[in-house]
Amino acid sequence: MGFSSKPSVAVIVPAFNEAENISPLLAELSAKLPADYEVIIVDDGSTDGTYETAVAAQTQYQFLTVLRHRTNLGKTAAIMTGMEKAQGEFVSVFDADLQFRPEDMVAQVEKLREGWDLVTGRKQGKYEKRMVSSIYNGLARVMFGIKVHDINALKTFRREVLEGVSLRKDWHRYIVPLAAARGFRITEIP
């Protein structure tokens, strides 16, 4: 992955005690993301050296910006901190724990370029908490009238989806319903 003058995609990586995952994560992102992507790791008050590991990696990866919360404020706060620094017109929230694949994010960006405002993933295969996830997502579809199957999977969206929205603690879980309520066009891909 090279570095372009102004990124079109911001990858926000909330990280809390993920020191062991930072190096493999950055190696994978570097190998699989196009040059117009920026990566913003937001250390959310980690105590295991996550921040120091990420800062040290900045010398190797020009696309990387590292931000820090001195205390743990939660994933929603980390996303919003990343949004303040993000330059890209598209934003992806990519967990630091290596559960998502960079190529899925690239596919979501391509769907955004077709005219969608938010693209969410749909988990495939076996994964933990499948039953709980099915109930939660089923209720979300009924309550919020959205057609996607998984509101908490990998998601990528136009930056205006979150601009002007005040998110409370743990409201990152409701980005999809909030976007739907504001009239944004939403789709999903496996």
Side-chain angles (χ1 to χ4, degrees):
M1 177 168 148
F3 183 75
S4 65
S5 58
K6 183 171 190 277
S8 65
V9 180
V11 181
I12 298 174
V13 182
F16 177 68
N17 289 340
E18 296 284 356
E20 67 183 31
N21 290 330
I22 297 299
S23 293
L25 171 71
L26 290 171
E28 190 172 7
L29 293 175
S30 177
K32 296 183 178 175
L33 295 183
D36 63 333
Y37 283 57
E38 64 178 328
V39 176
I40 302 168
I41 292 178
V42 182
D43 175 65
D44 191 30
S46 297
T47 57
D48 71 342
T50 296
Y51 177 73
E52 293 78 9
T53 302
V55 166
Q58 284 182 301
T59 60
Q60 184 178 356
Y61 301 106
Q62 291 183 332
F63 60 81
L64 177 61
T65 299
V66 180
L67 305 172
R68 181 184 205 183
H69 294 162
R70 294 207 175 271
T71 61
N72 182 259
L73 301 176
K75 186 173 181 177
T76 302
I79 292 168
M80 297 313 287
T81 296
M83 284 288 296
E84 291 172 13
K85 186 71 172 176
Q87 297 180 59
E89 77 175 284
F90 304 130
V91 177
S92 187
V93 177
F94 199 86
D95 291 348
D97 62 6
L98 305 173
Q99 68 173 306
F100 299 139
R101 299 177 336 152
E103 50 268 33
D104 292 334
M105 179 182 10
V106 173
Q108 288 183 350
V109 169
E110 292 309 311
K111 288 300 272 186
L112 290 175
R113 289 186 169 133
E114 291 174 12
W116 296 95
D117 299 311
L118 186 149
V119 181
T120 186
R122 183 174 182 185
K123 291 183 186 90
Q124 303 290 296
K126 294 182 180 182
Y127 57 92
E128 285 185 41
K129 302 179 185 176
R130 185 180 201 94
M131 177 65 91
V132 172
S133 181
S134 295
I135 294 168
Y136 175 80
N137 284 299
L139 287 171
R141 281 193 302 276
V142 171
M143 289 173 55
F144 301 115
I146 52 179
K147 293 181 171 54
V148 300
H149 290 84
D150 194 344
I151 67 171
N152 284 314
L154 175 64
K155 57 185 130 311
T156 306
F157 45 86
R158 295 180 185 281
R159 70 178 302 119
E160 59 261 25
V161 167
L162 285 188
E163 286 179 339
V165 174
S166 295
L167 296 181
R168 297 179 184 177
K169 184 174 176 67
D170 291 330
W171 277 27
H172 62 276
R173 293 178 172 94
Y174 306 111
I175 290 173
V176 175
L178 288 168
R182 294 177 66 212
F184 287 106
R185 295 183 54 216
I186 299 168
T187 193
E188 70 179 357
I189 58 175

